[in-house]
Amino acid sequence: MPALRIEGYVIVSADGMLANADGVMPDELKFEGDKKFFTAALDRADLIVHGRNSYEDQPNSPLRTRIIVTRRIGAVAPDPSNPKATLWNPAGAAFEAACDVAGVRSGTVAIIGGPSVFGMFMDRYDTFWLSQAPRVRLPGGEPCFPGVPERSPQEVLAAHGLKAGDAQILDPADGVSVTPWRRAA
Ligand SMILES: NC(=O)c1ccc[n+]([C@@H]2O[C@H](COP(=O)([O-])OP(=O)(O)OC[C@H]3O[C@@H](n4cnc5c(N)ncnc54)[C@H](OP(=O)(O)O)[C@@H]3O)[C@@H](O)[C@H]2O)c1
């Protein structure tokens, strides 16, 4: 069994977007129930991975060990501005090398975006937690994964060997739910 368990987290609009046409995650895509779910998951994770613009901005953020994906360095290096962060350029080093520098060799890794970072791990997720806001549309927005909107986010996950489990309602008034997409054993 691999030492690292890889989980993905995103909330998407009905049209499969994670941000609006300005590249910003708008308030209309932020919901209390989903925020609680996401916060609890990140509090449990041993490591968080995200692109330079996808920090989660929560009270516990400074406590979390993280890898920040960037082309500003050649391979892997500690982040001079954050003792809990490691900078990683996937063109220069394997993910495991970045985990080593981050000091994480086992446990749960939470991948939290953006789209290109989600795409990098498509064949490695044990579970991808897809939150959906069915009443929000973000025309011209930023698609959540490479390959969207030509295909739906669900079609992309299925094409990478993941299967949908039971959805859980997070924000009943807005119809927001989360569905675990798990890799078949
Ligand atoms: N709805 C949600 O659940 C959700 C989830 C995640 C993000 N978002 C939103 O989406 C927007 C951010 O998206 P974004 O497109 O800017 O993505 P991002 O991945 O957060 O940031 C892009 C930056 O990450 C680095 N990067 C990404 N892919 C890389 C690669 N393959 N190799 C090396 N470096 C790479 C680059 O940093 P350098 O420029 O330093 O080289 C790039 O400029 C934000 O508004 C965020 O709030 C929403």
Side-chain angles (χ1 to χ4, degrees):
M1 196 160 150
L4 293 173
R5 186 179 163 74
I6 313 272
E7 307 217 343
Y9 293 87
V10 72
I11 180 162
V12 302
S13 59
D15 43 355
M17 305 297 153
L18 56 58
N20 64 18
D22 299 323
V24 171
M25 182 172 169
D27 285 346
E28 57 185 311
L29 204 50
K30 296 177 183 170
F31 300 89
E32 264 325 294
D34 182 65
K35 210 188 319 175
K36 271 191 197 150
F37 171 80
F38 184 47
T39 303
L42 296 193
D43 283 343
R44 281 193 306 271
D46 298 284
L47 175 67
I48 294 168
V49 179
H50 57 82
R52 199 167 46 79
N53 303 329
S54 290
Y55 46 90
E56 75 279 13
D57 199 16
Q58 297 175 354
N60 283 346
S61 294
L63 305 174
R64 296 179 181 141
T65 303
R66 67 187 64 234
I67 288 175
I68 300 169
V69 185
T70 177
R71 293 186 182 87
R72 290 180 171 186
I73 55 152
V76 187
D79 183 343
S81 66
N82 178 353
K84 304 281 285 181
T86 300
L87 304 176
W88 172 46
N89 184 343
F95 178 55
E96 284 67 19
C99 292
D100 248 17
V101 172
V104 177
R105 288 168 192 90
S106 63
T108 301
V109 181
I111 311 293
I112 65 167
S116 122
V117 178
F118 284 135
M120 255 175 242
F121 289 90
M122 254 327 146
D123 291 317
R124 295 192 63 178
Y125 294 116
D126 294 287
T127 303
F128 195 101
W129 298 89
L130 179 68
S131 295
Q132 291 166 269
R135 292 173 204 154
V136 177
R137 297 192 80 82
L138 297 171
E142 191 171 344
C144 64
F145 303 143
V148 174
E150 296 77 16
R151 291 184 294 168
S152 70
Q154 291 85 343
E155 284 170 335
V156 172
L157 293 170
H160 288 273
L162 297 162
K163 288 198 167 52
D166 292 337
Q168 181 186 327
I169 300 293
L170 297 175
D171 291 273
D174 296 294
V176 174
S177 65
V178 65
T179 302
W181 284 76
R182 296 194 171 92
R183 193 164 302 285

